[in-house]
């Protein structure tokens, strides 16, 4: 028979495990509550960032994230075999910088996103707009394409108030 303390610790550990599994990937480096709070002051939209980044190539993913303690909108684009990270100001949506992706982990992600977008018939901008329109009162926080059973889909993370929700959008 387990003591109450052991039972309590087991329950807390189980809650922590399942909570961690539910945290969006972009919040691994930070706090999803902090991201939700920072988003309250962002007037730019993910869709606007996708559109603005098109000057640097075809958008293959986008996300709001906290980098160095500040909110930013990051969009990965591709042009030929090159990948760029385009960073937009979260208040204005204006492009703050664009640089070639050189980090091995980021290149791996970008390559997988490129493969998904190669099968996509629907642009990320359209998929993000559709997800937001289908979820009144929400705003898109991230969109990441992937191949599932050889089908192009995108995982769209939405934020309503302080609550995150993930939806899958078909891209083919």
């Amino acid at each position: 028979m387990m003591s109450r303390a052991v039972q309590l610790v087991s329950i807390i550990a189980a809650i922590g495990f399942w909570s961690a599994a539910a945290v969006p990937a972009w919040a691994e480096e930070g706090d999803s509550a902090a991201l939700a709070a920072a988003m309250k002051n962002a007037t730019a939209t993910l869709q606007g960032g996708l559109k603005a980044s098109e000057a640097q190539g075809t958008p293959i993913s986008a996300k709001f994230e906290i980098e160095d303690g500040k909110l930013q909108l990051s969009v990965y684009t591709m042009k030929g075999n090159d990948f760029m990270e385009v960073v937009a100001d979260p208040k204005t949506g204006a492009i703050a910088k664009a640089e070639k992706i050189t980090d091995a982990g980021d290149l791996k992600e970008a390559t997988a996103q490129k493969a998904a977008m190669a099968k996509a018939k629907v642009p990320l901008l359209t998929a993000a707009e559709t997800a937001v329109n289908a979820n009144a009162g929400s705003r898109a926080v991230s969109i990441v394409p992937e191949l599932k059973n050889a089908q192009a889909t995108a995982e769209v993370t939405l934020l309503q108030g302080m609550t995150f929700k993930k939806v899958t959008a078909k891209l083919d």
Side-chain angles (χ1 to χ4, degrees):
M1 185 179 223
M2 282 199 219
S3 71
R4 287 200 186 275
V6 172
Q7 288 176 332
L8 183 58
V9 169
S10 296
I11 290 170
I12 291 171
I15 291 170
F17 173 78
W18 291 110
S19 296
V23 173
W26 38 257
E28 288 174 2
E29 298 169 71
D31 179 357
S32 58
L35 180 62
M39 290 294 298
K40 289 182 179 181
N41 296 321
T43 52
T45 64
L46 189 86
Q47 300 91 304
L50 286 166
K51 194 168 188 114
S53 72
E54 289 174 348
Q56 299 297 323
T58 303
I60 57 173
S61 68
K63 66 181 174 179
F64 280 97
E65 64 184 342
I66 296 178
E67 183 81 25
D68 298 325
K70 295 180 182 175
L71 182 67
Q72 71 177 23
L73 174 53
S74 171
V75 182
Y76 281 11
T77 65
M78 65 177 180
K79 190 181 281 186
N81 289 322
D82 291 330
F83 299 108
M84 299 286 290
E85 179 180 17
V86 180
V87 177
D89 182 293
K91 290 204 181 269
T92 65
I95 302 301
K97 68 178 180 177
E99 53 191 33
K100 189 171 181 176
I101 297 173
T102 57
D103 176 78
D106 292 343
L107 281 171
K108 184 178 178 182
E109 288 177 22
T111 301
Q113 294 164 3
K114 178 182 179 180
M117 291 308 295
K119 291 195 172 221
K121 294 180 180 128
V122 176
L124 290 182
L125 177 59
T126 302
E129 289 173 342
T130 301
V132 168
N133 291 339
N135 292 275
S138 293
R139 68 184 297 177
V141 176
S142 72
I143 186 164
V144 180
E146 58 189 354
L147 289 175
K148 287 186 180 176
N149 301 323
Q151 299 268 0
T153 64
E155 183 177 82
V156 183
T157 303
L158 302 170
L159 175 64
Q160 185 171 20
M162 296 292 284
T163 305
F164 291 97
K165 173 184 179 181
K166 291 186 179 197
V167 297
T168 300
K170 289 185 176 185
L171 296 178
D172 55 3

